[in-house]
Amino acid sequence: MTFDFLSRLYKMSVIEHSYPKQPQERLDPLYLRLPEAEDAFTGLFDVLEALGVDDVSGDITDAVTSLRWAYEKQGFISGFRMGMMLAGELKPIDGV
């Protein structure tokens, strides 16, 4: 299983406008978005505003969004790889 394969699987799993539009080409119904992640993202912008950063659009938003997607992709790929390695370790119990 290559990094390229896992990257493509990630792209097919997330909800992103630049990815395939046809429902049969998408896996996003399987992708779980955690409320904690959305809350943390919103919380960051609340902190920036409290620090006096009035305009959190443009460069700041682009940088934060890039960071967010990079960590999300890293977690997806690492989790998938770990899951597959653990699946390979499973041994049948009582012939099942």
Side-chain angles (χ1 to χ4, degrees):
M1 186 172 324
T2 66
F3 178 78
D4 180 60
F5 170 78
L6 292 174
S7 292
R8 287 184 285 127
L9 182 60
Y10 169 75
K11 287 180 181 180
M12 294 297 291
S13 299
V14 298
I15 300 169
E16 180 65 17
H17 298 294
S18 62
Y19 299 140
K21 306 282 191 263
Q22 300 301 318
Q24 68 272 18
E25 296 176 15
R26 301 284 295 279
L27 301 174
D28 54 299
L30 303 174
Y31 192 80
L32 177 65
R33 293 205 177 272
L34 301 176
E36 294 91 344
E38 296 300 322
D39 293 345
F41 189 69
T42 302
L44 172 62
F45 286 101
D46 292 343
V47 168
L48 289 172
E49 288 177 9
L51 291 171
V53 179
D54 294 326
D55 184 13
V56 291
S57 61
D59 291 341
I60 292 173
T61 301
D62 291 347
V64 170
T65 301
S66 293
L67 178 65
R68 180 183 182 191
W69 282 108
Y71 273 114
E72 188 168 334
K73 182 177 180 180
Q74 175 179 285
F76 178 91
I77 290 172
S78 296
F80 192 89
R81 290 181 70 216
M82 186 181 301
M84 293 307 294
M85 287 191 308
L86 290 172
E89 294 292 321
L90 291 176
K91 295 184 177 150
I93 299 173
D94 296 329
V96 177

